[in-house]
Amino acid sequence: MPDALPFDLVVIGAGPGGVAAAETAALLGRKVAIVEATPLVGGAAVNTGTIPSKTLRETALALSGVRSRALHGVDLSLRRGLTVNDLLRHERAVKATEATQMRARLDAYGVTVVHGTGGFHDAHTVRVVRPTPPGGEVYLRGEKVLVATGSTPARPTLFPFQSNRVHDSDELLYISALPRSLAVIGAGVIGSEYACMFAALGTRVHLVDGRDKLLPFLDPDLSAALQGAMTAGGIRFWWNEKVAKCDTPRIGETTLTLTSGAELQVDQVLVCAGRSARTVELNPAAAGFELTPKGLIAVDEHFRTTVPHVYAVGDVIGFPALASTSAEQGRVAACHMFGSDEKDAVAKFLPAGIYTIPEVSAAGLTEPEALAAGHAVVVGRADYAQNPRGKIIGDKSGFLKLVFDAADMKLLGVHVIGEQASELVHIGLLALMAGGGAKLFLDTCFNYPTLGDLYKLATHDALIRRARHAGRIPRAVVS
Ligand SMILES: Cc1cc2nc3c(=O)[nH]c(=O)nc-3n(C[C@H](O)[C@H](O)[C@H](O)COP(=O)(O)OP(=O)(O)OC[C@H]3O[C@@H](n4cnc5c(N)ncnc54)[C@H](O)[C@@H]3O)c2cc1C
Ligand SMILES: NC(=O)c1ccc[n+]([C@@H]2O[C@H](COP(=O)([O-])OP(=O)(O)OC[C@H]3O[C@@H](n4cnc5c(N)ncnc54)[C@H](O)[C@@H]3O)[C@@H](O)[C@H]2O)c1
């Protein structure tokens, strides 16, 4: 082995987890190297997953006229001449800019970016195989090593991915034609988001899932509302179904035979059946740790593996496997390994933002979770249609649901479905972080007209329900 270049920290994988750890360690004055297998930094978040899918959604909303159709009598639909390039152009521009900016930030922080595939040579040394040409190997020695190699789409063997009409979520970004009809396999977050996007573009979408409920971790009111909106948007759900057979003739439509015997004829197939941790090139045995039976890396609350100077964050450690939480974990790991108390734990409340059409977002407890935890619960709901900004943007079905502890009116959970849900949730998220509740929302003066004002309306609703329950408010007498 040639001499290894010495660093305080060697990070393997430049997705949100690895980049956040590298930047944090650099800010703490440490000498950091980050190894990335692809030519661009940013990982799945920037290059194949989060940013691409959200950009495609935005483009689809604009091109299809879905947003403008909600406004009275305005239809700006451009769908007729839509090509796949119209859809993908903005996505390519946004992700390229984001990756370039992220790389520039790493350079500015003095982080050494090494292009190549990293794996353990021994517990402190990472061997990097450089892409050819020019090829070759580089060895990096880290006092600490952090693994943030992320995940790749699961590819069930039943599906002929060699066909150019059967895709996983990475390949979807290279389709050559918009699907006339599409079977999406897996109604998880990725499948639901892409199903909505294609339905908005006018593709006939079938959404197939082995389970019987849409995104079961959501508050049931939101899950039901989302399923209703997706159905109204033209998506056909196939619950308790898996694909038993997928026939892709060279010419003509693909036939999917489902476990019930039902047959679907579709133009293209998108498989979104979960993701697998990427550890194939890692060689963890050389570092002295093993993978779990599910192929993940087990860590403690500081994101340390069983080898104390080796840490792991992000998708490679499993749930919740989000860009937001991966970055959060990266910061905690970097602070812990260098003895900083700047950030000693991940945030107590982690939000979920799901970019379906309509968008859904939540933080804290759902109503059933709050009840199961023994709280006396009162909920407050406010519909976008009751709010002037909601009327202006033409969102007739969105709503905000707040879950309070009826005893002290502290907020336990916030749930939003509708335009800008993933932004609107942050008001409730901050209230959760601050231990606030009804008083905070009533004391706050919100801009008018804004969706933020829904917090006041939902709080009033909860207070009225609570007072009614206690018999303190008489019902209005209708004459
Ligand atoms: C379609 C889709 C949509 C998503 N939408 C959202 C969303 O809206 N919000 C959200 O929060 N999350 C979203 N996610 C999830 C999010 O993208 C991931 O949770 C996040 O990117 C994980 O970050 P990471 O740092 O763990 O790994 P990744 O982002 O996967 O990055 C890992 C990096 O490591 C590199 N690598 C792997 N092995 C090696 C090696 N041996 N040597 C060198 N480099 C290596 C890879 O090339 C990659 O660049 C989405 C994911 C997908 C697929
Ligand atoms: N907005 C966001 O936060 C966001 C967006 C996209 C992805 N992500 C992350 O990406 C990860 C992966 O998402 P995903 O949607 O691929 O996985 P997932 O595990 O969330 O969902 C997979 C779905 O596919 C179904 N399924 C699996 N195999 C099947 C089969 N053979 N036939 C029918 N149904 C089948 C499962 O029942 C499940 O509902 C998640 O961890 C998620 O957190 C997050």
Side-chain angles (χ1 to χ4, degrees), residues 183-196 205-218 223 226-227 230 235-242 270-274 354 356:
V184 179
I185 314 305
V189 185
I190 298 181
S192 297
E193 288 184 350
Y194 275 132
C196 290
V205 178
H206 298 273
L207 187 47
V208 180
D209 200 293
R211 295 200 278 224
D212 63 356
K213 203 164 171 219
L214 184 61
L215 306 176
F217 57 88
L218 288 177
S223 174
L226 179 61
Q227 181 164 338
M230 287 170 69
I235 296 169
R236 168 130 193 226
F237 288 93
W238 296 83
W239 294 119
N240 296 312
E241 290 277 22
K242 289 192 171 178
L270 172 63
V271 180
C272 305
I354 300 161
T356 38

Side-chain angles (χ1 to χ4, degrees), residues 12-18 35-38 40 42-50 53-54 116-119 148-151 169-170 190 193-194 275 278 281-282 313-316 321-326 353 355:
I12 312 177
V35 185
E36 172 52 49
T38 67
L40 294 172
V46 174
N47 300 301
T48 54
T50 315
S53 58
K54 269 79 260 186
T117 303
T149 48
S151 62
S169 63
D170 286 359
I190 298 181
E193 288 184 350
Y194 275 132
R275 295 182 62 89
R278 179 168 166 186
E281 303 102 339
L282 205 59
V313 300
D315 283 14
V316 78
L322 297 172
S324 53
T325 52
S326 301
Y355 301 81

Side-chain angles (χ1 to χ4, degrees), residues 295-463:
L296 301 169
I297 300 181
V299 292
D300 66 13
E301 73 273 27
H302 306 298
F303 302 101
R304 242 180 344 188
T305 67
T306 49
V307 180
H309 71 275
V310 178
Y311 290 67
V313 300
D315 283 14
V316 78
I317 67 169
F319 183 83
L322 297 172
S324 53
T325 52
S326 301
E328 182 82 357
Q329 294 164 354
R331 287 184 207 104
V332 173
C335 286
H336 185 265
M337 64 180 75
F338 296 119
S340 163
D341 59 5
E342 288 282 310
K343 184 150 181 71
D344 56 10
V346 295
K348 193 168 164 210
F349 295 94
L350 297 171
I354 300 161
Y355 301 81
T356 38
I357 302 173
E359 198 169 300
V360 177
S361 196
L365 300 180
T366 62
E367 187 178 354
E369 284 168 352
L371 288 167
H375 294 280
V377 168
V378 60
V379 303
R381 175 172 157 151
D383 293 347
Y384 281 37
Q386 297 170 280
N387 166 285
R389 188 62 176 263
K391 292 185 186 82
I392 292 167
I393 61 177
D395 188 328
K396 296 189 178 72
S397 58
F399 64 86
L400 166 71
K401 174 175 175 178
L402 300 177
V403 179
F404 293 102
D405 188 317
D408 55 9
M409 290 308 282
K410 276 209 172 145
L411 186 66
L412 299 172
V414 49
H415 308 274
V416 197
I417 180 167
E419 282 266 316
Q420 299 292 326
S422 60
E423 299 285 355
L424 192 56
V425 80
H426 288 148
I427 297 173
L429 177 64
L430 284 175
L432 287 168
M433 292 291 288
K439 179 159 169 34
L440 178 64
F441 299 136
L442 296 182
D443 284 350
T444 304
C445 178
F446 293 95
N447 278 321
Y448 181 88
T450 59
L451 293 175
D453 221 14
L454 285 166
Y455 277 88
K456 236 173 216 170
L457 213 52
T459 303
H460 285 157
D461 183 50
L463 288 171

